[in-house]
Amino acid sequence: VMTQSPATLSVSPGERATLSCRASQSVSSNLAWYQHKPGQAPRLLIYDASTRATSIPARFSGSGSGTEFTLTISSLQSEDFAVYYCQQYDNWPPLTFGGGTKVEIK
Amino acid sequence: QVQLVQSGAEVKKPGASVKVSCKASGYMFTYYYIHWVRQAPGQGLEWMGWINPKSGGTNYAQRFQGRVTMTRDTSISTVYMELSRLRSDDTAVYYCVRDQAKQLFDYWGQGTLVTVSS
């Protein structure tokens, strides 16, 4: 089970956002982050816990291993307000996602 | 460019079946697994299973075993997901997604809304 916190994060543009994802058992570094905006398909941001996917800006960074992971957005831009999901691909099937963190404008 | 184009929205009655298509283009269809992921209203993402377009082999999430069938037609680069014995809690947006490697999803279809209502 993947648990994300907080469920909602209110942040002002330009501020730093820190999102957490916890796994009920170790997933090593087999953890990805996705960004999901309304009406759009999710987008892969980070994989292997800390590797940015193609074309993802450097303000997105991931860290952690085992059961505790963090996605950090260093300086929030207007286009970053969205829902973020973590996904583990270590112990599967099934592949599992966290419940999501909504990043909203403060 | 890589595209996954899904069939349109469906409205079904409880107990019926739905079949959603996903047409791939812009890459070698048989090189990448396709997964299906759904999102119910107000809920998170839920993985349903995958299909190997080359062999037709499948792997379904246990909770959908017996109700879901994933198939493919290599002649038209299309995969299908059929869900039977629909219930109201199957109302969701269904996405087909390409597995770039290691069960990471790099391209997503636009989503297909399936509404189950009497």
Side-chain angles (χ1 to χ4, degrees):
Chain A
V1 177
M2 307 300 293
T3 303
Q4 291 187 240
S5 61
T8 303
L9 187 60
S10 298
V11 185
S12 300
E15 289 188 341
R16 183 186 197 92
T18 303
L19 290 65
S20 295
C21 175
R22 174 177 292 177
S24 58
Q25 63 184 89
S26 176
V27 298
S28 186
S29 294
N30 296 312
L31 190 286
W33 291 92
Y34 294 84
Q35 177 192 66
H36 193 190
K37 297 180 182 179
Q40 299 183 20
R43 177 172 71 147
L44 177 64
L45 296 177
I46 301 283
Y47 63 94
D48 291 347
S50 61
T51 303
R52 277 191 301 277
T54 304
S55 303
I56 300 303
R59 64 180 180 272
F60 291 92
S61 63
S63 63
S65 65
T67 61
E68 301 282 344
F69 300 88
T70 300
L71 173 69
T72 301
I73 311 170
S74 60
S75 177
L76 270 159
Q77 307 297 303
S78 58
E79 62 267 28
D80 300 335
F81 293 97
V83 180
Y84 293 83
Y85 294 97
C86 60
Q87 176 221 338
Q88 69 83 19
Y89 47 96
D90 187 78
N91 305 309
W92 76 288
L95 295 169
T96 51
F97 294 86
T101 291
K102 181 180 181 181
V103 177
E104 64 176 24
I105 300 174
K106 188 174 183 180
Chain B
Q1 72 283 21
V2 174
Q3 281 192 304
L4 298 173
V5 179
Q6 299 180 220
S7 49
E10 303 262 13
V11 179
K12 296 291 183 181
K13 294 192 182 304
S17 298
V18 68
K19 191 170 186 177
V20 180
S21 68
C22 170
K23 183 173 177 59
S25 62
Y27 71 97
M28 287 295 291
F29 176 67
T30 55
Y31 280 18
Y32 297 87
Y33 283 33
I34 294 289
H35 298 241
W36 289 87
V37 174
R38 76 178 188 179
Q39 184 173 36
Q43 303 298 311
L45 300 169
E46 181 177 31
W47 178 77
M48 300 180 68
W50 58 247
I51 181 167
N52 177 344
K54 184 173 185 178
S55 68
T58 56
N59 187 330
Y60 304 140
Q62 188 169 13
R63 66 166 292 178
F64 297 105
Q65 290 273 3
R67 282 210 303 145
V68 71
T69 305
M70 297 177 189
T71 56
R72 94 292 191 211
D73 184 338
T74 56
S75 69
I76 56 172
S77 301
T78 299
V79 298
Y80 302 91
M81 186 283 299
E82 184 170 21
L83 189 62
S84 63
R85 303 194 299 278
L86 289 168
R87 308 184 293 252
S88 58
D89 63 357
D90 290 318
T91 294
V93 176
Y94 290 76
Y95 293 100
C96 61
V97 296
R98 192 182 82 160
D99 184 341
Q100 69 172 34
K102 297 201 308 183
Q103 299 79 50
L104 294 169
F105 306 141
D106 59 351
Y107 287 94
W108 297 61
Q110 82 275 22
T112 297
L113 175 61
V114 175
T115 302
V116 183
S117 174
S118 54

